Amino acid sequence: MDDTSPWYRPRPDLLILFGTATALFGYLTPWFRRSTLYVWWYSGLAYLEEGGGWTWLVVVLLVIAIGASLWAGRSVGLALFATAAAMAGMFLAGAVVAMSLAMLPERPDFYWVGQLPFGWGIPLMAFGFGATIAGALAAVRRDIG
C-alpha cells in the first residue's frame, strides 16, 4: 500500500500492534498464585471478574494503544500516541501486580516471591511492552531516516 491512500484505511505498525496485543494478553492471563495448593490465580482477568475498579484502566489504555497502532504506520504521531497509551498501561499494570504481591502474607525466607507458582502473564507483559517500545523507536527512526 502506498502513502497516497486515504487515512480511513488502516496501515498498522505491526511491532506496536503485536506488542500491545501481547501485553494485553499477558495482563489477562494468570501471573502467579499463593501456592501450588491455592486454586485462584492473580491476573487482570480475575480482577475484572471481581468488578475491576481502577484495574480496568489497564485494559482501556491497551485497547486505545491497539486502536492507535492500526494507523501508526501512517503517522509517527500515532505511533508515539499508541506507545504513550501502552506505557501508561504498563505503569498501571505494574502497580496492579505490585499490589497483588503486597496482598500475599509475608514469609520468613528471603526468596519467597521467587518460589511462587508463576504463570505466563508477567513474562508476556514484559515482552509485549518491550516490543511496543521497540516499535516506537523503529517508527521514529523511519521518520527521521
Side-chain angles (χ1 to χ4, degrees), residues 22-143:
T22 302
L24 178 60
F25 183 69
Y27 181 72
L28 296 175
T29 38
W31 310 329
F32 59 87
R33 59 184 174 187
R34 288 184 181 191
S35 72
T36 53
L37 302 175
Y38 200 68
V39 177
W40 189 79
W41 284 84
Y42 285 88
S43 71
L45 185 59
Y47 281 118
L48 297 177
E49 288 175 348
E50 295 293 321
W54 61 273
T55 64
W56 272 99
L57 289 174
V58 177
V59 174
V60 169
L61 287 165
L62 292 178
V63 168
I64 289 170
I66 288 170
S69 71
L70 293 174
W71 281 268
R74 298 196 173 281
S75 164
V76 172
L78 282 174
L80 295 177
F81 177 76
T83 304
M87 294 305 96
M90 179 180 76
F91 180 80
L92 289 175
V96 174
V97 172
M99 293 300 291
S100 300
L101 287 169
M103 290 172 43
L104 298 177
E106 192 170 339
R107 297 184 189 158
D109 56 350
F110 178 71
Y111 191 63
W112 68 271
V113 172
Q115 296 169 355
L116 291 172
F118 274 85
W120 283 97
I122 292 174
L124 284 172
M125 278 193 287
F127 182 77
F129 288 126
T132 302
I133 293 170
L137 293 173
V140 169
R141 187 170 182 345
R142 275 192 311 269
D143 189 53

